[in-house]
Structures are given as C-alpha cells and as structure tokens.
Amino acid sequence: AFCIVLATYKLHDRVDDMLGKRDWQVRPATIGALFDIDGEQHDLSRARHVWQFGTSRLRDKDLDSITWGCLTKASMLCGRPDVAAHAYDVFLNKGMKLSAHNFEE
C-alpha cells in the first residue's frame, strides 16, 4: 500500500491522512506493516500512535497474532522489552493464541 511507502520515508502526516479517510478500509496487515516500519526506525512513539489509531478503527477480533507480533517487535527494536512483554500479556489475556508466524524470520 502507498501508505507503507509514505511511512518508510517518515511522511507521517500523509500516512495519518490516508488512514483517517472513512472510505479507506484499514486492514490489520497494514497496521502490522506500519508497526514494523516504526520498529525499524526505532520510533516507539509513532508505533504507539499507530496502535491507538488501529485499535480505534479495528475491532479486537481483527487484531490478529501477526499484528500483535509486529507491535512487540517494534517495542523490542525500540529498546522497550517491558512494553513488548506487556503487549503479549494483554494478547494472551484476551484468549488469543500465538501462531508460528510470530516466531518466523
């Protein structure tokens, strides 16, 4: 998606504009990819912003294990293992199951 290219070049205002459009369907894979970019750029505050946006537009059941895995990866890459551990605790407390995708590289 074009918003992923924009995020790669840190054009966050344009990403936010795209994500905020009501006629554009936000997918968990897009949110996960944005987390991945934020982690690679060591920008935990941006990852948190995307998370707030994602949880406001998506239902809990739409946030799959891959999306949660991307959030925890971003937290780890940003030097915050405590945030990653908390995210996994929340994930598991919601009754969700880990998948093999969380451990593949």
Side-chain angles (χ1 to χ4, degrees), residues 44-86:
L44 187 58
S45 65
R46 180 66 190 169
R48 287 181 177 166
H49 175 78
V50 171
W51 181 255
Q52 298 254 325
F53 174 82
T55 55
S56 71
R57 290 278 306 267
L58 299 169
R59 297 174 301 225
D60 273 352
K61 70 181 187 78
D62 293 330
L63 297 170
D64 59 12
S65 63
I66 296 171
T67 307
W68 281 87
C70 290
L71 173 64
T72 57
K73 177 183 174 184
S75 301
M76 294 292 287
L77 288 173
C78 292
R80 294 297 307 271
D82 57 318
V83 174
H86 177 72

Side-chain angles (χ1 to χ4, degrees), residues 10 12 40-41 49 53 56 65 71 74 79 90 92 99:
K10 299 183 181 184
H12 302 306
E40 295 290 332
Q41 294 175 350
H49 175 78
F53 174 82
S56 71
S65 63
L71 173 64
V90 171
L92 295 173
S99 72

Side-chain angles (χ1 to χ4, degrees), residues 79-97:
R80 294 297 307 271
D82 57 318
V83 174
H86 177 72
Y88 266 120
D89 285 344
V90 171
F91 171 81
L92 295 173
N93 287 335
K94 288 181 178 285
M96 300 176 86
K97 304 281 187 227

Side-chain angles (χ1 to χ4, degrees), residues 3-61:
C3 72
I4 294 169
V5 174
L6 294 172
T8 301
Y9 290 98
K10 299 183 181 184
L11 299 172
H12 302 306
D13 290 340
R14 291 184 62 192
V15 172
D16 290 348
D17 288 344
M18 285 188 75
L19 294 177
K21 291 183 178 181
R22 298 254 181 238
D23 60 340
W24 194 66
Q25 185 177 0
V26 178
R27 301 196 186 290
T30 303
I31 299 298
L34 292 172
F35 289 147
D36 199 48
I37 291 166
D38 296 335
E40 295 290 332
Q41 294 175 350
H42 305 286
D43 191 348
L44 187 58
S45 65
R46 180 66 190 169
R48 287 181 177 166
H49 175 78
V50 171
W51 181 255
Q52 298 254 325
F53 174 82
T55 55
S56 71
R57 290 278 306 267
L58 299 169
R59 297 174 301 225
D60 273 352
K61 70 181 187 78

